[in-house]
Amino acid sequence: MMRMKKIGLSLLLLLSVTTGYGQREYDQFFLEAMMQRQKGNNDAAFDLLRHCLEINPDAPEAYYFLAQYYNALKDGEKSLAYIQKAAALDPDNATYMETLAQAYIRQQDYEAAIPVVEKIYERDKEREDLLEMLFQLYQQVGDFDSAVEVLNRIEAIDGKSERLSVAKSEIYTRQGNKKAAIAEIKALAEKFPNDGNYQALYGETLMMNGQLKKALKVYDKILKDEPDNNRVLMSLRTYHQALGHREIADSLTERVLLNRNATIEEKILLLRQEISASENAGGDSTRVLQLFDKILKQPQTDEHMAILCASYMNVKKMPKDTIATVLTKALQLAPDNSSARLQLIGYAWEADDMERVIALCQDARQYNPDEMAFYYYQGIAYYRRDSLDAALSTFKNGIGVIKEDSDPAIVSDFYAVMGDILHQKGLMKEAYEAYDSCLQWKDDNMGCLNNYAYFLSESGEQLAKAEQMSFKTVKAEPKNATYLDTYAWILYMLGRYSEAKIYIDQALQNLDESIDNSVIQEHAEKIKQKANQ
């Protein structure tokens, strides 16, 4: 909140001494107030303006600027009083009048604002924005006749338009004047007899106001000339739905969905309505899927319909190969759609089809070169196929798109798998550097901690560091046989045989019998030999 302090007495005395009285004195103080205001010295400007009013109590400009200061001080009552005074003293000043109008509007005193805005417009009829403001104000106070009169004034300037006619018709409907509501739209339709949308709007207005036979007659006439008029088809669909004519409504739904004139937004909205109605009726997906099938057999300009279809199929737990067919169509339409491609990669991954994963990711890197996930999945797929060089190359390319806000988990795994590959290639120094990078991004990457620790123990290097890393994994997953074995082996390498035996015994108790455990068994024998000596 702005705080006002008293201006220095010396400044006021100096100004008083160096000036005369009356208008000259006022002008001097007001000019100084404006200079202080421009410099940001609001305390001084505030006191100078108040002194101005002591000299001339009828100075509108002083009241105007003081009103702003009182508003900043959260004194709304005094601010309003001062701007009222400024406007009363100089009613020809548009700035004062507009500020007053806005002050009334802020206080939701719309009744008071209206005559002020009317006066401003009376002096400047170029300001059509004031008419728009008056239209809103008259509606706020419930003066609908005056609101219509304002619309008539706008229409006299701009000519008849759908916006103005619809606004007037809506007001008439709100007033219960159905005849006037219909007449307004009829006049619009007659002015533009070749515009099917205006004719459709006339039919909608008739329908809304209970004149169903006339509305249907208008619709029939439009459809004879324009069989694909989407607006009419949608209106008729709503009409037949309300009467429970399901077969007719369903037929109209299909006409709209297969209508070349309907936008993709209109089709998607309609399909969402059909899906919602289907779910409310028990969730039978047959009709919805039939609609999707018919739509997707038509030429598509973008992927949105296919994506919506795939999303619906996911919700209905359709077979993945069926969903994949739709997603593939979506990719054909929009090869840069990363979400569709990632879902296809997921399906291929579940099917252990690494070739498909690699192909999908390779294409993705052309269309989404900065999407790190595609490098990750492609690199892992190569790795699982034992194509180490291709995997390493892919990961290195992926690291090139890492950013500060990249997902730490994915970046960490990048480096972890790189470390494993480098180790397999015998590049130990590079492997350890990759593991270090992995842990910088995510210090609790358990797979990396375990492998890093085990490889250090195998070479007999940095065993203390290896023991600390391995202990983290055992603490995090105390029943993981692999982690327990690594920790036991490191303790063995450190000569702590009794401790090593405790952990190798736990590893043996938690073996996964579905995998090869020969290394763990070999470690167990060596550890027990040393522990029993």
Side-chain angles (χ1 to χ4, degrees), residues 45-330:
F46 180 72
D47 278 343
L48 285 164
L49 287 167
R50 289 196 299 175
H51 189 63
C52 285
L53 288 183
E54 291 174 2
I55 300 170
N56 180 5
D58 293 326
E61 61 276 8
Y63 282 107
Y64 171 72
F65 286 108
L66 280 169
Q68 295 180 42
Y69 282 122
Y70 282 119
N71 185 57
L73 291 166
K74 308 299 181 187
D75 189 343
E77 185 176 341
K78 203 158 192 177
S79 177
L80 178 61
Y82 272 52
I83 193 59
Q84 285 174 326
K85 185 72 173 176
L89 289 167
D90 189 359
D92 292 332
N93 189 303
T95 300
Y96 299 166
M97 296 293 281
E98 282 192 54
T99 304
L100 177 59
Q102 291 298 336
Y104 285 135
I105 291 170
R106 278 197 302 273
Q107 295 187 358
Q108 298 184 358
D109 188 352
Y110 305 122
E111 289 278 6
I114 288 171
V116 178
V117 178
E118 287 282 16
K119 285 180 183 177
I120 301 170
Y121 180 72
E122 188 62 31
R123 292 188 176 91
D124 186 1
K125 294 192 175 178
E126 299 278 324
R127 297 278 307 277
E128 195 171 327
D129 61 303
L130 295 173
L131 291 177
E132 298 287 351
M133 186 185 296
L134 283 169
F135 174 59
Q136 298 298 332
L137 289 171
Y138 280 122
Q139 287 189 100
Q140 287 286 350
V141 300
D143 187 349
F144 297 117
D145 289 339
S146 294
V148 170
E149 189 274 329
V150 171
L151 291 174
N152 287 333
R153 283 194 261 172
I154 297 174
E155 193 172 81
I157 299 169
D158 295 341
K160 188 172 283 294
S161 69
E162 180 177 352
R163 180 180 75 90
L164 296 174
S165 294
V166 168
K168 282 194 277 184
S169 182
E170 287 177 352
I171 290 175
Y172 289 138
T173 298
R174 209 180 310 171
Q175 291 178 307
N177 190 347
K178 295 182 179 182
K179 185 176 180 180
I182 293 170
E184 182 62 39
I185 302 301
K186 183 180 181 181
L188 178 69
E190 289 175 345
K191 183 173 179 62
F192 304 100
N194 297 320
D195 191 319
N197 282 325
Y198 291 148
Q199 307 306 312
L201 178 60
Y202 176 44
E204 289 167 8
T205 307
L206 288 167
M207 185 84 71
M208 191 186 308
N209 287 280
Q211 296 195 22
L212 302 181
K213 289 184 179 180
K214 285 186 177 180
L216 293 174
K217 188 176 179 181
V218 170
Y219 287 155
D220 286 341
K221 184 177 184 302
I222 296 170
L223 291 176
K224 282 180 182 177
D225 298 328
E226 299 178 52
D228 292 331
N229 187 297
N230 192 58
R231 187 167 184 169
V232 172
L233 294 174
M234 286 291 288
S235 186
L236 284 171
R237 174 181 174 272
T238 303
Y239 167 70
H240 287 292
Q241 277 184 326
L243 294 179
H245 301 161
R246 181 173 176 179
E247 289 186 8
I248 299 175
D250 287 349
S251 174
L252 286 163
T253 298
E254 288 193 26
R255 283 183 68 179
V256 172
L257 291 174
L258 301 178
N259 186 355
R260 290 171 299 176
N261 292 334
T263 65
I264 187 65
E265 291 80 14
E266 290 171 332
K267 291 181 179 182
I268 286 177
L269 177 62
L270 185 52
L271 269 170
R272 291 188 189 281
Q273 292 174 4
E274 288 293 309
I275 290 170
S276 178
S278 173
E279 293 303 304
N280 291 335
D284 183 2
S285 61
T286 305
R287 170 168 164 73
V288 175
L289 289 172
Q290 287 174 346
L291 289 173
F292 273 121
D293 184 58
K294 289 180 180 180
I295 295 167
L296 292 175
K297 282 180 178 176
Q298 290 188 314
Q300 301 293 307
T301 57
D302 57 46
E303 81 280 21
H304 295 110
M305 192 61 68
I307 294 295
L308 179 61
C309 180
S311 299
Y312 178 71
M313 288 177 164
N314 268 317
V315 171
K316 304 307 288 185
K317 303 188 185 307
M318 299 285 291
K320 290 178 180 176
D321 58 345
T322 305
I323 302 173
T325 300
V326 178
L327 288 171
T328 300
K329 184 175 182 65

